[in-house]
Amino acid sequence: MSNRISRRGLIGVVGASTALAAAKAPAIATPDADKVGFAVVGLGKLSLGQIIPGLKVAKGAKLAAVVSGHPDKARRVAAENGLPADAVYGYDDYDRMAKDPRIQVVYIVLPNALHADHTIRAFKAGKHVLCEKPMATSVGDAEAMIAAAKAAKRRLMIAYRCHYEPLNLDIMRRLRDGSLGKTRLVNTTMGRQADLAEPSDAWRLDGLMSGGGALADMGIYGVNAARYLLNEEPVSVRAWAQTDRTDPRFKTTEDLIDWQFRFPSGVIANGSTSFNYAPTMGYEVICERGRLVADPAAFYGGNRLTVVQGGQAQPPLSLPPNDQFAREMDWMADVVRGKAPMVSPGEEGLQDMKLMKAILDSVARDGATIATDWGYRRAYDPAVVVDLPRSA
């Protein structure tokens, strides 16, 4: 795998999981005229490679507009996707969306430091918002986004696609049914090699733009995974960092960060992230009578699960390929229609923002224990309410 690979370029081939009974009926394709319209804000790699293609196969969502600071690029993308000229927006006329009934949801796919401003502007325009993670670069901005949603009486969803991804849902359900006994330990490892020559990496290595370098870009997957795997919240964290300040990539962010969450059930979750180690997005859950090894666990495709019991690894089971982004956006569309509960609300993003701040606070205090029991409890367990696909 190339060292120039980005988080949003970690694309595999075929998902692996087991199909369980659906808690929510599988989505049925909606006539195009009745689909929920999405405006995609930012036309970088993720939008062009995953989000817009996902909207083409989504059952209840569709592309209604594009927003970009590059007019020629925006017009080209719009034309390629059959959008009229008036469905092309720039950041200077962003607020014109208030008068566009074709748009119900604005999907924010911008550098992290721009999330809060464009989210709040979308709410002022009367639109619902799906925002990429991390939701912001500070706890204060995340709280402002949630307040803006409430003031506008609109919905804010954070793009935690693993909440809707079949392999992760399967693992959550295995842990809930207790077939391997009590969970004792979770280990998450999320990182890659970053490259300043890549424009998309340059801002991720900028502390002000990213809000935390590798931790905000890759580590958030491990922070969130420990929480959704266990369906509980950590009560404390300790963390340490190792950063070579002579490396030009790490002038304003930490490199290797390792943390340890303690959960009320007694489970310990170890996590690490780095922009200077071999690409990996995996985790391991160790239970009393077996292990669940997901490696990779959070690619756009090709995620694999190995179940180990009695020292023997079982062959992985597979599902037909599925589009994770289509599933995520279809869920948001159903939330807007009042047909599905909000599984990944702004409060979920805020919890991760607070936990990442606690990690960095502990790093700054050389591994001091930071209390993290702020009272947050998720309203809906993805393992209970999110369906697994029954066909491709």
Side-chain angles (χ1 to χ4, degrees), residues 223 227 232-239 259-264 350-362 368-377:
V223 170
R227 298 174 46 239
E232 58 178 331
E233 301 300 323
V235 295
S236 66
V237 65
R238 298 182 66 194
W259 63 90
Q260 186 174 78
F261 286 139
R262 183 169 61 87
F263 285 85
L350 174 61
Q351 176 72 347
D352 280 346
M353 293 299 304
K354 294 171 74 173
L355 288 169
M356 289 190 294
K357 182 180 184 299
I359 287 170
L360 293 175
D361 287 347
S362 181
T369 299
I370 305 294
T372 61
D373 190 5
W374 302 296
Y376 173 73
R377 299 294 181 269

Side-chain angles (χ1 to χ4, degrees), residues 295-324:
D295 188 11
F299 280 14
Y300 297 158
N303 294 320
R304 296 186 298 270
L305 169 64
T306 301
V307 181
V308 182
Q309 286 184 279
Q312 298 295 317
Q314 301 174 8
L317 301 175
S318 64
L319 279 177
N322 69 93
D323 191 304
Q324 297 178 35

Side-chain angles (χ1 to χ4, degrees), residues 161-175:
R161 59 183 170 81
C162 289
H163 292 180
Y164 311 93
E165 193 275 324
L167 177 120
N168 282 275
L169 287 167
D170 179 33
I171 295 172
M172 287 184 241
R173 293 180 180 188
R174 289 174 184 267
L175 294 173

Side-chain angles (χ1 to χ4, degrees), residues 274-290:
S274 174
F275 268 160
N276 190 27
Y277 62 40
T280 178
M281 293 187 79
Y283 58 70
E284 175 187 39
V285 184
I286 301 176
C287 303
E288 292 174 313
R289 297 189 296 275

